[in-house]
Amino acid sequence: MGGTQRVGGAERVAASERVGIDELLERARAGYDRVGPQEAAAAATDGALLVDIRYAALRDRDGLIPGALVVERNELEWRLDPQGSHRAAEAVSHDLPVVVICNEGYASSLAVASLRQLGLHRTTDLIGGFQAWRAAGLPVTPGAADG
C-alpha cells in the first residue's frame, strides 16, 4: 500500500514515500542551475531581479543588497506571480530572470521550486545565500541594527 490516503480530510503520505529535507533539497535543485555571488551580481546587471526572502531580523542585523526586492518567504508566490492580484510591480513576466536569496542558500532552493511551478522558469537561487554575497565583498547597505 503506497501513495497518499485521505485521513480526516487531509492527505497523508505513505511512509515509503516520505523524504527527508536533504532529499527534498536535492530534488528541488535538480531542475535548475544555481548561481554564485559573482554570477548573481552579473545577472542583476543584465536585468535579473534579485529577491531577498530573509526575515526582518536578519536584514536588520546583516544589511541589504542594494536594488534587491525584499519579499518575505510567506508572501513570495503572491508577489512574484505575474498573473496574481497581489503581484509586485517588478513581477512583469514569466520570462523574468529571478535570483532568490535567503540567508545561507537553503530556503531559497525550496522557494525556487515553488516559483518554477508557477511558471517562472528563469528562477534560480544564490548558492550560500546572503552570507556568500557578503563574503564575496559585494555591495551591502547597513541594516537597521547598524544605524
Side-chain angles (χ1 to χ4, degrees):
M1 184 169 165
T4 59
Q5 61 180 338
R6 284 225 168 276
V7 177
E11 281 192 8
R12 183 174 165 189
V13 177
S16 63
E17 295 185 16
R18 293 180 194 146
V19 298
I21 189 61
D22 293 330
E23 185 175 342
L24 186 62
L25 275 170
E26 185 178 322
R27 288 180 184 182
R29 291 171 175 168
Y32 67 96
D33 293 323
R34 302 175 78 210
V35 297
Q38 301 298 338
E39 293 169 293
T45 299
D46 290 342
L49 179 62
L50 301 182
V51 180
D52 185 343
I53 64 170
R54 295 174 301 142
Y55 53 89
L58 290 176
R59 295 190 313 267
D60 290 348
R61 182 190 75 191
D62 295 338
L64 299 164
I65 296 171
L69 175 66
V70 174
V71 179
E72 291 201 19
R73 177 63 189 97
N74 63 321
E75 297 179 358
L76 186 64
E77 291 81 0
W78 284 266
R79 304 291 287 147
L80 291 188
D81 180 0
Q83 299 174 334
S85 59
H86 298 290
R87 71 182 173 274
E90 295 86 347
V92 295
S93 164
H94 286 95
D95 292 326
L96 178 68
V98 176
V99 179
V100 181
I101 302 166
C102 66
N103 194 49
E104 295 182 347
Y106 297 100
S108 57
S109 296
L110 298 177
V112 167
S114 180
L115 291 173
R116 283 178 164 253
Q117 286 181 326
L118 287 175
L120 294 159
H121 63 99
R122 296 180 69 192
T123 303
T124 188
D125 72 323
L126 175 58
I127 299 167
F130 177 86
Q131 298 305 325
W133 177 279
R134 184 171 62 180
L138 292 166
V140 174
T141 58
D146 291 337

